[in-house]
Amino acid sequence: QSALTQPPSASGSPGQSVTISCTGTSSDVGGYNYVSWYQQHPGKAPKFMIYEVSRRPSGVPDRFSGSKSGNTASLTVSGLQAEDEADYYCSSYAGSNNLVFGGGTKLTVL
Amino acid sequence: EVQLVESGGGLVQPGRSLRLSCAASGFTFDDYAMNWVRQAPGKGLEWVSGINWNSAGIGYADSVKGRFTISRDNAKNSLYLQMNSLRAEDTALYYCAKDGYGSQGAIDYWGQGTLVTVSS
C-alpha cells in the first residue's frame, strides 16, 4: 500500500489549462478504472470532483476532466479560475477493500 | 441533505485507546460503504479503513492494521473506529466519508472531521 505519486505543485495563469498526474502501479491505478480526484481548500473538507477515471459528479464544472493511461491517471483543469487554487488529491481502489491516496498537488493560479 | 458528524476525538497518551463515532443522516445509511480518512497537520489525505454496507467487506491501511477496528451499526446510522495502541504518528484530523455513485472508493461526502492528538 504505497501512496500514489503526484507532483507537489502545479501552476497556471487564469484561462490556461493545467494537468496533474497521479502515478501508481498495476495493483491500483493500472488495475482498476476506479480513480477519483478531490479538491481541498485550506481548512475545508475535500470535495469530490471526478470518479471512475473521467466521470464528473453533478455540479462539477466541465472544466475539470480526468483520464488514464497505464498506471498513470491525470486531472486536467481547463480555463483556470482563481477559485481553482487548492490542493488536489487522487485516489485509487487497490483491491481487497483497500483504497490509496496520492500525496497531493498544490495548484497555484498565477 | 447528507450530514456526517464525527465525535470522540481528543488528546490521548501514546499506547492508550480512543473510539471515534460518526452519526450519518440524510441518506439510506445501509445502502453505502463508509470510510475513515485521516489528515495529519499540514499533510495529505490517508485512507485508514473502509467497510461495506453489511460489514462483510472490510479493509485497513497497513499503518493501522492490527490496531484499529472499523464497525457500523445500520440500525443507529452510525460508523465507528476503535483505535488501540495509539502512536504519535496517528495524530490527525479523522474524517468520516461516504462512498457514492455505486463505485469503489468514490467518496462523495465528507464530515468536518474530529481531531485526534496522541501525546504524553
Side-chain angles (χ1 to χ4, degrees):
Chain A
Q1 290 181 351
S2 298
L4 307 177
T5 300
Q6 296 182 235
S9 62
S11 63
S13 299
Q16 288 187 332
S17 294
V18 63
T19 297
I20 299 170
S21 62
C22 169
T23 301
T25 68
S26 58
S27 296
D28 38 63
V29 175
Y32 305 93
N33 285 324
Y34 291 128
V35 175
S36 300
W37 289 90
Y38 303 89
Q39 176 191 66
Q40 187 180 36
H41 287 108
K44 300 293 188 182
K47 177 185 176 184
F48 185 44
M49 303 299 286
I50 295 284
Y51 70 106
E52 290 181 0
V53 177
S54 60
R55 303 181 72 171
R56 270 187 314 276
S58 57
V60 174
D62 60 6
R63 301 186 296 104
F64 292 86
S65 62
S67 62
K68 190 184 87 166
S69 177
N71 296 337
T72 297
S74 299
L75 173 73
T76 297
V77 185
S78 305
L80 270 175
Q81 299 181 3
E83 59 262 35
D84 299 333
E85 184 162 297
D87 293 327
Y88 290 83
Y89 295 91
C90 62
S91 74
S92 175
Y93 182 65
S96 302
N97 301 296
N98 290 319
L99 195 63
V100 61
F101 279 91
T105 298
K106 182 177 181 60
L107 174 60
T108 300
V109 180
L110 302 170
Chain B
E1 177 194 4
V2 171
Q3 285 198 321
L4 300 169
V5 180
E6 303 93 338
S7 61
L11 174 63
V12 61
Q13 293 179 328
R16 303 298 291 264
S17 299
L18 210 57
R19 189 193 195 209
L20 305 184
S21 299
C22 170
S25 61
F27 64 102
T28 304
F29 184 70
D30 55 11
D31 276 352
Y32 296 94
M34 298 293 295
N35 302 272
W36 288 100
V37 178
R38 68 185 181 185
Q39 187 167 32
K43 302 296 185 183
L45 300 173
E46 179 188 16
W47 177 80
V48 173
S49 182
I51 185 169
N52 77 337
W53 70 276
N54 65 355
S55 305
I58 288 176
Y60 296 98
D62 288 344
S63 57
V64 307
K65 203 171 291 183
R67 300 187 299 122
F68 289 13
T69 302
I70 192 172
S71 62
R72 64 189 295 162
D73 185 335
N74 288 343
K76 294 182 177 180
N77 289 351
S78 294
L79 177 72
Y80 306 101
L81 185 68
Q82 177 67 42
M83 304 186 296
N84 298 331
S85 303
L86 282 161
R87 306 167 179 167
E89 53 265 37
D90 295 319
T91 293
L93 186 65
Y94 284 73
Y95 291 105
C96 170
K98 168 190 169 291
D99 265 18
Y101 289 77
S103 183
Q104 292 280 8
I107 296 175
D108 61 352
Y109 285 94
W110 302 67
Q112 288 305 304
T114 186
L115 182 62
V116 173
T117 303
V118 183
S119 174
S120 54

